[in-house]
Amino acid sequence: MTTSLTLLASGYNLNTTFVVLLIVSLSLLPTGALAAEPNKTHQQKKLRFGSNGVFKILQVADMHFADGKSSPCLDVLPNQVKGCSDLNTSAFIHRMILAEKPNLIVFTGDNIFGFDATDAVKSLNAAFAPAIASNIPWTAILGNHDQESTLSREGVMKHIVGLKNTLSQVNPPEAKFIDGFGNYNVEVGGVKGSSFENKSVLNLYFLDSGDYSTVPSIPGYGWIKASQQFWFERTSSKLKKAYVSKPQPQKGPAPGLAYFHIPLPEFASFDKSNFTGVRQEGISSASVNSGFFTTMVGAGDVKAVFTGHDHLNDFCGKLTDIHLCYAGGFGYHAYGKAGWSRRARVVVATLEKLEEGGWGGVKSIKTWKRLDDHHLTTIDGQALWSKSSSGSRRKKQIPAA
């Protein structure tokens, strides 16, 4: 599979030969190659910063994968139509993996487009195949279209959890009742051998923002429910307590990042003067505000939120010390805008270099996007958070590396 995808990565317009190579490669992958080993649990897979003090996350939003070669690209230029399909989405993932070498890949929902996916299991396997083949840890959450094929939302999430290299969970084991499927957190430890080795220095929250309202009097999309917010608050509090406790007690919480599919109503708070990126369509949030943004502000650890859902928006703006960020549309069998490249968002957290040597906690978090053009052009580099600008600053500042 690696050889074929490397050929595909050489350009974003796929010709027939490249498409055939990819189909053959994917067809040669046995089902067992995609499934996790039955005796190994996801809890055994620990994420941590590498010896370079950097942790990089690739966000893939709205793949809308369906039936592979037979699922055509939508909203592309006339010269891109011929031979364009779901396989372009797979090639883009592979190009991004080669270019960015992420430590974690996060799929933020609408991984498959259920209405056009004949078999949900086959479509999910194909959609995640490039990530699985890379042997890079990955996580996924649900959007509003994943359950529209042959599996329920619970069924989709259970299948995802059974795939190789994923850290996804159906739901947190400690939660006796929680709405949705795919609510969980992932801890990223400090550098092995450092004084922060046994601390989670970066906390990642994944939540199910639902699909559509189940309340007859409330139209539109779903939202993050009270039970999920209660779990988030308890988890955030537990992680903060561990971070400020011995050994190596800290003055404030470790920074957190939250990932879910449907944007919050607060995404509508921005205009062109106070965000980076573009807004080319309305904010398709729930018609009610469940208060999750306020819950995150109260918890105090989340520094940025990352969503998908609105494919033509890729902006990132700051509201009450939390950045609210779209990734922009990634998938080719999804609505887009002809001439406006598909794109992916990258987030990088960098650790503080301690005066006594070694690595400490997170010093800064930055983001940028990559376009699926000939050069994988990087755009909209942006600082999301830095320790020096937070409330837990040290008396003596450490010079930037």
Side-chain angles (χ1 to χ4, degrees), residues 274-277 314-318 323-325 345 367 382 384:
N274 57 4
F275 65 64
T276 300
D314 72 353
F315 68 80
C316 192
K318 187 177 181 180
H323 276 86
L324 302 179
C325 304
R345 183 173 288 281
T367 187
Q382 188 175 2
L384 298 178

Side-chain angles (χ1 to χ4, degrees), residues 34-53:
L34 300 174
E37 294 180 41
N39 295 326
K40 291 189 177 181
T41 66
H42 302 315
Q43 293 300 318
Q44 291 176 299
K45 301 175 183 177
K46 300 293 184 182
L47 294 182
R48 65 172 62 255
F49 280 74
S51 58
N52 61 350

Side-chain angles (χ1 to χ4, degrees), residues 279-311:
R279 174 177 172 175
Q280 301 178 112
E281 62 177 310
I283 309 301
S284 299
S285 58
S287 59
V288 295
N289 192 330
S290 68
F292 186 51
F293 181 78
T294 302
T295 298
M296 289 189 291
V297 171
D301 61 337
V302 172
K303 307 305 176 187
V305 168
F306 302 96
T307 69
H309 193 54
D310 299 327
H311 307 179

